Amino acid sequence: MKQYTGLWKKITSFNNLYRASRNAVKGAKRTAEVQEFLYNLEYELLLLKKELLTETYLPSAYRTFTIFDPKQRIISAAPFRDRVLHHAVCDVIQPVLENIFSESSYACRKGKGTHRALKRATSLMRKNDFFLKCDVRKFFNSVDHEFLKHFLEKRFKERELLSLFGRIIDEPVPGCKKNKGLAIGNLTSQCFANLYLTGLDLMVLHQLKPCGYIRYMDDFVLFGSDKDELHGFLYEITEFLGNNLKLTLKPEATFAAPVKHGLPFLGMQLFRSTVRVNGKSLKRLRKKLRWRTAQYLGGELNDERYERSLSSIFGHLAHADTLELRRTMCNSIPSV
């Protein structure tokens, strides 16, 4: 198995840290913390570089808040300084990880994403009669730190980089058991999570060899022409997750069914000839439209930000058969 080296120097270079600060500030709220960091940018980046090179850098405690998008999640947000570091790390290791990840993995990757995953899943439905839908129970909260570090050690060689990984991983995540969990709000968590489940991808593709397979983070689907065979795959997957990753499946979200009944996937209900928005997602999008419109009318959003919000909402709906729905929602927007 190939181990990658020569990355530590790239991560700790001033130019990389500067680019990371520019990326971290995109979309970030201009809080006092962010403004102060940017005001003293050169000093802050040189200090961060020094701490990395002397291995004295330590992550700060997370700030937590709850979102409902679409289900309730506790988000652990790192301070802005740590987010800059996360960008610096991921900008360098992500291209390396791309050589490791399976083509069947679609979450948090350039050239992939939700809409391409939906398109691929629909294509697979047209070629198969049955699907096995699986969802990992509390995935981010259940990631085992020692297992994750072992997977990283198999791929990355530099001691300094592995030490930094360990400090990021071991920072306690609110609501998680000791030595468990990844902070959902961290950019590094997305990279680590995909790596953690790459073993599952390889097992499914090379051992089970279903007629089709697609994974979006901890939500994945297998396709085939024999329902009994898919049930057998479910047993193998359950054993693999428990023994190799210390993960379990969510029973209420794991089932095999004919494709003609429709596949619930990434907020959509997929059929061979049509794609519909499921009820929960539609309710969430309508609520978001009302909220953003109220913010705009109240002067909290300018024209540009409001237009971006509308483009996001209607752009997502456009990936389903929703022409009449979009017309109705457009007509519900009050004229200004």
Side-chain angles (χ1 to χ4, degrees), residues 136-139 141-147 151 179-180 196 238-249:
V136 178
R137 179 188 293 278
K138 295 183 178 179
F139 170 60
N141 284 12
S142 303
V143 169
D144 184 89
H145 290 183
E146 295 308 312
F147 277 36
F151 298 149
N179 298 322
K180 291 277 189 178
Y196 199 84
T238 302
E239 289 291 300
F240 179 87
L241 290 174
N243 295 335
N244 297 277
L245 300 177
K246 292 190 177 181
L247 298 174
T248 58
L249 292 173

Side-chain angles (χ1 to χ4, degrees), residues 23 69 74 150 250:
N23 290 331
D69 188 26
I74 297 176
H150 174 67
K250 194 186 301 180

Side-chain angles (χ1 to χ4, degrees), residues 257-291:
V259 297
K260 64 182 180 181
H261 290 173
L263 166 65
F265 190 53
L266 303 181
M268 300 287 186
Q269 192 75 15
L270 309 182
F271 297 88
R272 281 175 170 167
S273 58
T274 188
V275 178
R276 300 171 185 167
V277 184
N278 71 27
K280 287 183 179 180
S281 291
L282 181 55
K283 183 178 179 180
R284 175 172 56 88
L285 290 169
R286 281 178 165 153
K287 182 179 179 180
K288 184 177 180 180
L289 177 60
R290 291 194 300 269
W291 173 49

Side-chain angles (χ1 to χ4, degrees), residues 223-336:
F223 295 87
S225 57
D226 187 330
K227 191 174 181 180
D228 290 336
E229 182 181 50
L230 291 176
H231 279 297
F233 290 165
L234 176 58
Y235 174 81
E236 297 289 339
I237 289 169
T238 302
E239 289 291 300
F240 179 87
L241 290 174
N243 295 335
N244 297 277
L245 300 177
K246 292 190 177 181
L247 298 174
T248 58
L249 292 173
K250 194 186 301 180
E252 64 273 20
T254 299
F255 59 95
V259 297
K260 64 182 180 181
H261 290 173
L263 166 65
F265 190 53
L266 303 181
M268 300 287 186
Q269 192 75 15
L270 309 182
F271 297 88
R272 281 175 170 167
S273 58
T274 188
V275 178
R276 300 171 185 167
V277 184
N278 71 27
K280 287 183 179 180
S281 291
L282 181 55
K283 183 178 179 180
R284 175 172 56 88
L285 290 169
R286 281 178 165 153
K287 182 179 179 180
K288 184 177 180 180
L289 177 60
R290 291 194 300 269
W291 173 49
R292 288 301 194 186
T293 300
Q295 285 185 311
Y296 176 64
L297 294 176
E300 297 178 52
L301 290 182
N302 59 26
D303 290 351
E304 182 183 355
R305 291 182 63 190
Y306 183 53
E307 287 175 7
R308 284 206 305 265
S309 293
L310 294 182
S311 296
S312 173
I313 293 168
F314 288 102
H316 181 65
L317 287 171
H319 287 271
D321 299 307
T322 57
L323 180 59
E324 288 303 318
L325 172 63
R326 281 177 280 145
R327 284 175 176 167
T328 302
M329 290 177 69
C330 279
N331 292 335
S332 70
I333 300 174
S335 58
V336 180

